[in-house]
């Protein structure tokens, strides 16, 4: 990056603003150009300072961070990283923020250099390169339920940065009779519960966090829980079930998309479909290639609709992606492939 990344820090706590600024100052490529204690100050600071990235608190005086974000993404779209309390309420609000178009989130620390907060610098750097869509999250209209019989045994999705908006867009096209679907989305442990609940409320299928041993059923979507485990799909007799296994990070992540995709590739599934969505890095590329080599139908989100084109690019470059599509077309394409005779040769 040719010039330093200009960051505006927005938080009603002077202590938290100082902590965020100090963390960001460790990177010589980042410059904190200003601070704001509430959305009204933030609006003036954005006009005056033209920052590249804004870090934004959720609970603030005069206007909530969510209301401010919604207006910002509608009137002046720009990369935003949410800094949220690690509580259930904070997680739910952060999921809404990501749906509105925030690039990513970090948890507020209990002390300096703790937990998720250590990722702040990296997430700000990613946000500075992210593609922010005008108007924030463009929610796809929910598809009216219709008679639909899925021939596919399993559909697997992988996503990271930008994945909340992307997955909601895709799953809102799924009917209640959708094929069994598994998802790994890079997200802090306490946030996946709120994300699953959000998808369950706004999408036709039943969406839950994956539980070890849960059978994969039509009309159900299973989200890998954040934390110490990876999500796999395994056979148990005649059924496919979720398996949560503790392990080290794979491809830099836990849960890892590669672990999920490779488990699906190894099933010898009668019919399997994989799709890799927006995200930074390479997690999922090798796994999607393994799925394609095993006969699965594979999709990748195109560059124009990705917040970050890292994961789909890596998958495409190694020949893992059979069809690359804009985000809005991936859900319908997956459903067609899931119902089509001969989709996936196994």
């Amino acid at each position: 990056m040719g010039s330093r990344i200009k960051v505006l820090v927005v938080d009603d706590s002077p202590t938290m603003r100082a902590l965020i600024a100090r963390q960001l100052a460790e990177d010589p490529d980042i410059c904190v150009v200003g601070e704001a204690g509430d959305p009204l100050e933030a609006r003036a600071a954005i006009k005056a300072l033209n920052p590249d990235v804004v870090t934004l608190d959720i609970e603030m005086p005069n206007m909530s961070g969510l209301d401010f974000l919604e207006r910002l993404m509608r009137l002046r779209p720009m990369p935003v990283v949410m800094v949220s309390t690690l509580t259930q309420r904070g997680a739910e609000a952060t999921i809404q923020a990501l749906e509105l178009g925030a690039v990513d989130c970090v948890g507020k620390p209990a002390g300096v250099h703790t937990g998720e907060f250590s990722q702040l610098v990296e997430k700000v750097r990613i946000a500075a390169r992210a593609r922010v869509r005008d108007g924030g999250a463009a929610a796809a209209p929910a598809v009216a339920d219709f008679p639909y019989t899925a021939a596919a045994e399993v559909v697997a999705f992988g996503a990271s940065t930008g994945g909340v908006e992307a997955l909601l867009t895709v799953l809102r096209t799924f009917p209640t009779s959708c094929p069994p679907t598994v998802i790994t989305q890079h997200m802090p442990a306490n946030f996946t519960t709120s994300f699953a609940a959000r998808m369950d409320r706004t999408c036709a299928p039943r969406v839950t966090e994956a539980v070890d041993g849960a059978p994969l059923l039509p009309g159900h979507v299973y989200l890998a829980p954040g934390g110490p485990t990876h999500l796999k799909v395994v056979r148990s007799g005649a059924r496919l079930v979720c398996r949560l296994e503790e392990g080290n990070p794979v491809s830099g992540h836990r849960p890892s998309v590669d672990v999920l995709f490779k488990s699906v590739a190894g099933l010898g599934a009668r019919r399997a479909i994989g799709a890799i969505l927006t995200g930074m890095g390479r997690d999922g590329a090798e796994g999607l290639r393994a799925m394609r080599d095993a006969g699965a139908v594979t999709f990748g989100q195109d560059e124009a609709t990705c917040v970050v084109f890292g994961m789909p690019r890596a998958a495409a470059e190694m020949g893992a992606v059979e069809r690359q599509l804009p985000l809005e077309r991936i859900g319908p394409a997956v459903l067609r492939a899931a119902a089509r005779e001969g989709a996936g040769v196994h």
Side-chain angles (χ1 to χ4, degrees):
M1 194 167 299
S3 57
R4 298 174 75 188
I5 301 166
K6 299 184 295 181
V7 179
L8 174 67
V9 176
V10 184
D11 197 293
D12 64 337
S13 164
T15 302
M16 185 54 61
R17 294 198 301 270
L19 188 59
I20 293 170
R22 186 159 61 245
Q23 185 88 357
L24 294 175
E26 294 185 358
D27 191 313
D29 292 330
I30 295 175
C31 175
V32 176
V33 294
E35 300 179 7
D38 64 36
L40 300 181
E41 292 180 9
R43 184 171 57 187
I46 288 171
K47 290 180 180 179
L49 301 171
N50 193 28
D52 300 308
V53 179
V54 171
T55 71
L56 181 62
D57 186 19
I58 288 177
E59 297 181 0
M60 291 183 295
N62 297 323
M63 182 190 298
S64 77
L66 287 176
D67 288 341
F68 177 67
L69 177 67
E70 189 277 330
R71 296 185 188 189
L72 181 66
M73 301 311 287
R74 179 162 40 88
L75 300 173
R76 186 172 176 166
M78 62 189 309
V80 175
V81 175
M82 305 304 295
V83 183
S84 170
T85 55
L86 293 175
T87 63
Q88 181 177 352
R89 181 180 174 187
E92 290 171 355
T94 301
I95 296 303
Q96 294 179 49
L98 294 170
E99 185 180 358
L100 285 169
V103 174
D104 215 329
C105 62
V106 292
K108 284 190 175 181
V112 183
H113 305 304
T114 60
E116 282 292 313
F117 200 60
S118 62
Q119 300 179 16
L120 176 63
V121 169
E122 178 187 5
K123 292 188 175 185
V124 165
R125 292 179 67 92
I126 292 170
R129 301 192 296 270
R131 181 179 293 102
V132 179
R133 295 212 276 176
D134 289 354
V143 167
D145 200 16
F146 54 89
Y148 175 84
T149 302
E153 277 197 280
V154 60
V155 173
F157 287 101
S160 187
T161 309
V164 167
E165 178 187 351
L167 287 164
L168 282 164
T169 298
V170 170
L171 290 184
R172 282 172 177 153
T173 69
F174 274 34
T176 55
S177 55
C178 72
T181 300
V182 287
I183 298 170
T184 290
Q185 156 75 41
H186 300 155
M187 187 173 282
N190 57 311
F191 284 49
T192 47
T193 302
S194 294
F195 185 34
R198 178 70 174 169
M199 289 192 288
D200 188 54
R201 287 194 301 270
T202 59
C203 304
R206 180 81 173 100
V207 185
T208 59
E209 273 191 303
V211 175
D212 189 61
L216 266 61
L217 302 173
H220 286 66
V221 178
Y222 308 85
L223 177 67
T229 60
H230 295 285
L231 172 62
K232 295 182 176 181
V233 179
V234 300
R235 288 204 181 275
S236 179
R239 300 190 304 181
L240 298 182
V241 301
C242 296
R243 179 71 67 229
L244 298 181
E245 292 186 0
E246 291 192 6
N248 295 324
V250 174
S251 303
H253 297 278
R254 186 180 58 203
S256 163
V257 180
D258 269 329
V259 170
L260 176 62
F261 284 175
K262 288 179 180 179
S263 74
V264 173
L267 290 172
R270 174 169 50 86
R271 213 161 291 168
I273 298 167
I276 193 161
L277 306 179
T278 175
M280 186 74 178
R282 302 184 56 84
D283 187 28
E286 290 184 5
L288 194 69
R289 180 56 199 252
M291 285 186 65
R292 187 174 187 186
D293 288 347
V297 177
T298 61
F299 298 93
Q301 186 176 346
D302 72 358
E303 183 173 8
T305 61
C306 279
V307 173
V308 179
F309 189 52
M311 288 162 51
R313 183 198 300 275
E317 287 176 348
M318 66 167 48
V321 176
E322 183 178 343
R323 294 182 63 197
Q324 198 164 64
L325 296 172
L327 177 63
E328 293 76 10
R329 292 175 56 194
I330 287 178
V334 166
L335 292 174
R336 285 194 297 271
R340 190 171 61 239
E341 288 300 320
V345 297
H346 284 265

